[in-house]
Amino acid sequence: MAKEYPLNRFEIRLSGLGGQGILTLGKIMGQALALEHGYYVTQTQSYGPEARGGASRSDVVISSYPISYPKTQNLDVLVALSQEACNLYFRNLKINGLLIVDNFMVEQVPTNSYVGLPFTKWAKDKIKVIQTTNIITLGALTYFLPFMNKNSVLKTLKQIFPAKIIEINVKALNLGFNQAKKRYKDIPERWLSS
Amino acid sequence: MARKPKKKEIFALGNEVVVEGALLAGCTFFAGYPITPSTEIAEGMAARLPLIEDGVFVQMEDEIASLGAVIGASLAGRKAMTATSGPGFSLMQEHIGYACMAEVPLVIVNVMRGGPSTGLPTNPAQGDVQQARWGTHGDHPIIVLSACDVQDCLNMTITAFNFAEKYRTPVILLLDEITAHTREKIVLPRSDELTILNRTTPAMPPEWYVPYEETMRGVPPMPPLGSGYRYHVTGLTHDEHGYPTSKKSEVNALMHRLFRKIDQFFYDIHLVETIEVEDAEEVIIAYGCVARSAKLAVQKAREDGHKVGLLILKTLFPFPRPYVEKLARQCKKIIVPEMNMGQISREVKRVNNGRTQIITLNRVDGQIITPLEILKKVYKG
């Protein structure tokens, strides 16, 4: 993948509430991009009290070249699964950056140009396991980001999760991917030019 | 689509990679106490050590006890380590001094967080640099290393064990919260690619063994407890047989040997990395996570046509004087960004001795120094 889509410091921030699985999401995404897609990746995250309730955040920097500065500077993609996170981090998003929100959790979106999908609702109603919110989000991200390959992400899921819960997570990933594809058939060009 | 990894690639935290490095270096003993942001090292060791032959992990009652147990294990012949952070490192100072005096090889990883006191448990800082050098009381030599990225965590952990074993000394590896808590892809080396050093053991019959004998390298051979070489280990100043002494000639000989065993191998211990310094007119001297910001700053400045170079310090103490001196002669300006109020810049100024302009860039708010801040210093001074 790294050869087909050269990237130079593509920056993603995943954010939400503690307990939504943001840190796991960051880890899986980072590992998939680093080990399966062959990119250079640095993944950092918020620690401490904020990791238990309150805001939670995980940053991923992706590049075709070795990464010097490990933190994010200007975000290409912001995923916000809570209103608070959206308010807090929207200012770090590039002018043409892609904002993905959980429109079930984020009622006031600070821009008209965004992607809204009810990840939490789907986890509750369709998968019936609230903990899969993050993997549904990962499925949607896999669809939206052209340099991400679904099979590679699936492979990573199977490496990370214990056998007992792989099936449900694969289901969640597919749900996120397919629903995103159904609702956003044409991905606007500008989101792809980083 | 995906590249087939030839060797084992892992995507892991700096702390998790310290565990990998320690195990590759032959560490079989870890004693520790939970403290943010170093705890992943203890957790990794707790999971991995019982899986290897004779591996031991023990969670002690505090950091003083942790380092005590590590010293005991090292005396019993193990490669041993502990990991901690600011407040715990302060508690360890007592036993760091003991390990210096009794010449016990061991590795301490200190993941620096904001201080003083409880400070900023989940934010990075570089405030323990001078403490690592001078924290324990009394005059003593010590080796202090640092790592700036996840691959470095692996290399420097192995180096730390090698130095500890080679020079019979405690080695302190300073990480910071960012380096410890960044995940990156690294390639694990095969064990046959690595140089692993082990302590020398006595080669004479026990009756002729003199525990702290003067040798060429200044590093006496070290037998494991119970191997037939019975000797006395003490934190008091001791004669060559290990027995306490206050005779000035013997004390003097001991202290000078302790210094000499490090001092005469500066060329081996001084580790640095240079980037674009050959033609540089301005140089940034950095270490730890700040070195990564500096790398990006240098790249941007070069794109703009500024002749900027970077010296990354991997060994902090003994301070890599020759490298800094050379740059002080060559450059118009040296910039020292660090996340404290000027601890390595103090050393740089000492070595510079008024030759060239030293600009410090300090940040103590628990945030990393950004490439932009460094660039500002490059452009404006």
Side-chain angles (χ1 to χ4, degrees):
Chain A
M1 292 305 296
K3 287 195 187 78
E4 292 163 48
Y5 285 94
L7 295 174
N8 189 5
R9 290 193 69 91
F10 191 90
E11 302 183 347
I12 303 174
R13 173 163 296 171
L14 311 159
S15 63
L17 297 167
Q20 283 181 316
I22 300 291
L23 304 188
T24 313
L25 171 57
K27 189 184 162 183
I28 296 171
M29 199 168 163
Q31 181 159 332
L33 287 160
L35 300 186
E36 303 302 330
H37 295 71
Y39 286 106
Y40 289 94
V41 178
T42 60
Q43 186 253 316
T44 53
Q45 61 203 50
S46 58
Y47 269 83
E50 60 268 47
R52 299 158 189 77
S56 175
R57 141 184 92 70
S58 181
D59 290 358
V60 186
V61 179
I62 310 149
S63 186
S64 302
Y65 317 99
I67 299 168
S68 50
Y69 184 59
K71 298 262 175 185
T72 51
Q73 295 170 304
N74 291 304
L75 302 171
D76 292 282
V77 176
L78 170 64
V79 177
L81 300 189
S82 77
Q83 182 69 53
E84 192 195 359
C86 189
N87 299 350
L88 201 57
Y89 300 128
F90 180 70
R91 62 191 172 84
N92 300 111
L93 189 63
K94 276 183 187 168
I95 290 172
N96 288 329
L98 168 60
L99 173 67
I100 301 177
V101 301
D102 182 323
N103 58 9
F104 178 70
M105 301 292 287
V106 181
E107 288 172 350
Q108 298 180 352
V109 187
T111 169
N112 285 330
S113 164
Y114 70 97
V115 167
L117 294 167
F119 304 118
T120 313
K121 218 174 159 64
W122 288 338
K124 263 189 210 159
D125 301 345
K126 299 199 174 180
I127 309 285
K128 298 197 165 49
V129 179
I130 185 78
Q131 285 86 343
T132 56
T133 309
N134 56 350
I135 304 300
I136 298 174
T137 313
L138 179 63
L141 275 167
T142 309
Y143 170 71
F144 287 123
L145 300 174
F147 52 84
M148 282 186 80
N149 174 295
K150 194 171 137 196
N151 289 334
S152 303
V153 175
L154 278 170
K155 205 172 152 188
T156 305
L157 278 189
K158 283 170 191 167
Q159 284 165 2
I160 286 188
F161 286 122
K164 263 190 229 165
I165 57 167
I166 283 180
E167 199 184 323
I168 199 157
N169 279 298
V170 170
K171 197 176 153 193
L173 187 88
N174 285 328
L175 175 85
F177 188 91
N178 296 334
Q179 289 291 343
K181 194 173 179 176
K182 206 163 95 186
R183 284 156 198 247
Y184 293 87
K185 274 200 186 64
D186 312 307
I187 308 167
E189 265 305 301
R190 62 186 174 86
W191 291 343
L192 304 184
S193 56
S194 81
Chain B
M1 301 246 58
R3 293 184 311 166
K4 277 275 168 284
K6 287 181 194 71
K7 288 174 204 160
K8 199 183 171 199
E9 283 185 328
I10 57 168
F11 182 69
L13 287 174
N15 277 341
E16 291 164 354
V17 168
V18 167
V19 173
E20 300 295 339
L23 296 176
L24 282 168
C27 173
T28 58
F29 188 98
F30 184 100
Y33 185 81
I35 185 167
T36 305
S38 76
T39 311
E40 290 89 353
I41 301 176
E43 289 168 346
M45 284 297 198
R48 297 283 294 276
L49 279 172
L51 301 175
I52 64 170
E53 197 188 347
D54 290 335
V56 177
F57 167 88
V58 58
Q59 180 174 321
M60 297 299 285
E61 51 272 19
D62 59 33
E63 286 88 349
I64 303 172
S66 303
L67 196 48
V70 166
I71 293 173
S74 183
L75 289 171
R78 301 299 196 98
K79 283 189 178 181
M81 75 174 292
T82 184
T84 187
S85 187
F89 191 58
S90 289
L91 285 179
M92 285 181 181
Q93 298 305 326
E94 174 185 14
H95 281 162
I96 292 174
Y98 187 94
C100 288
M101 182 56 107
E103 298 173 72
V104 184
L106 52 90
V107 173
I108 301 164
V109 178
N110 174 10
V111 181
M112 290 185 285
R113 67 190 226 187
S117 187
T118 318
L120 275 166
T122 55
N123 290 56
Q126 296 179 317
D128 305 353
V129 170
Q130 291 290 351
Q131 184 194 21
R133 175 63 191 90
W134 297 112
T136 195
H137 63 271
D139 215 351
H140 61 281
I142 199 159
I143 298 176
V144 182
L145 307 174
S146 73
C148 62
D149 57 34
V150 175
Q151 182 66 49
D152 228 13
C153 286
L154 185 91
N155 304 346
M156 295 315 287
T157 304
I158 295 170
T159 306
F161 273 100
N162 282 346
F163 282 171
E165 296 287 321
K166 186 173 178 182
Y167 298 108
R168 262 192 86 169
T169 178
V171 176
I172 294 162
L173 173 58
L174 292 179
L175 306 180
D176 47 70
E177 189 273 340
I178 288 182
T179 310
H181 280 166
T182 297
R183 274 197 185 86
E184 278 182 290
K185 171 174 61 183
I186 65 151
V187 183
L188 288 180
R190 289 192 312 264
S191 51
D192 58 325
E193 297 172 302
L194 295 168
T195 313
I196 301 296
L197 302 178
N198 296 308
R199 63 192 75 170
T200 48
T201 47
M204 67 290 282
E207 294 78 9
W208 280 267
Y209 169 63
V210 181
Y212 293 97
E213 204 171 11
E214 188 61 81
T215 58
M216 272 298 288
R217 284 207 299 129
V219 183
M222 183 177 179
L225 291 172
S227 61
Y229 294 87
R230 296 188 300 278
Y231 70 113
H232 185 63
V233 182
T234 179
L236 290 163
T237 49
H238 42 271
D239 60 17
E240 60 177 9
H241 294 281
Y243 300 134
T245 181
S246 51
K247 213 192 259 179
K248 64 183 178 191
S249 59
E250 287 170 345
V251 173
N252 202 40
L254 166 71
M255 292 307 294
H256 277 86
R257 181 175 60 74
L258 289 183
F259 274 87
R260 185 168 62 81
K261 76 176 182 184
I262 305 287
D263 287 358
Q264 63 184 358
F265 292 99
F266 277 178
Y267 65 89
D268 180 45
I269 299 170
H270 284 161
L271 301 173
V272 298
E273 188 185 327
T274 54
I275 293 171
E276 311 242 29
V277 294
E278 290 72 22
D279 62 337
E281 292 168 359
E282 297 176 23
V283 163
I284 303 164
I285 297 179
Y287 56 97
C289 64
V290 178
R292 302 188 73 163
S293 304
K295 265 188 197 173
L296 191 56
V298 167
Q299 190 192 329
K300 295 276 181 212
R302 284 277 171 177
E303 282 167 13
D304 284 359
H306 281 70
K307 288 189 172 172
V308 182
L310 171 61
L311 176 71
I312 301 178
L313 305 179
K314 300 293 176 77
T315 303
L316 299 181
F317 296 102
F319 190 70
R321 184 184 187 112
Y323 296 94
V324 176
E325 246 171 5
K326 185 171 171 289
L327 293 174
R329 284 197 206 95
Q330 172 191 332
C331 302
K332 283 187 284 188
K333 193 159 96 182
I334 292 178
I335 300 164
V336 189
E338 51 184 336
M339 289 151 69
N340 55 49
M341 291 307 278
Q343 297 197 11
I344 278 293
S345 62
R346 170 187 292 260
E347 300 294 324
V348 174
K349 283 173 184 165
R350 181 172 63 81
V351 171
N352 178 52
N353 201 7
R355 281 192 192 88
T356 188
Q357 188 190 6
I358 307 287
I359 293 172
T360 57
L361 170 51
N362 309 106
R363 194 162 177 176
V364 287
D365 58 354
Q367 300 300 316
I368 188 172
I369 295 176
T370 62
L372 198 64
E373 287 176 88
I374 298 174
L375 275 178
K376 273 184 198 159
K377 288 284 179 188
V378 171
Y379 293 153
K380 290 177 190 163

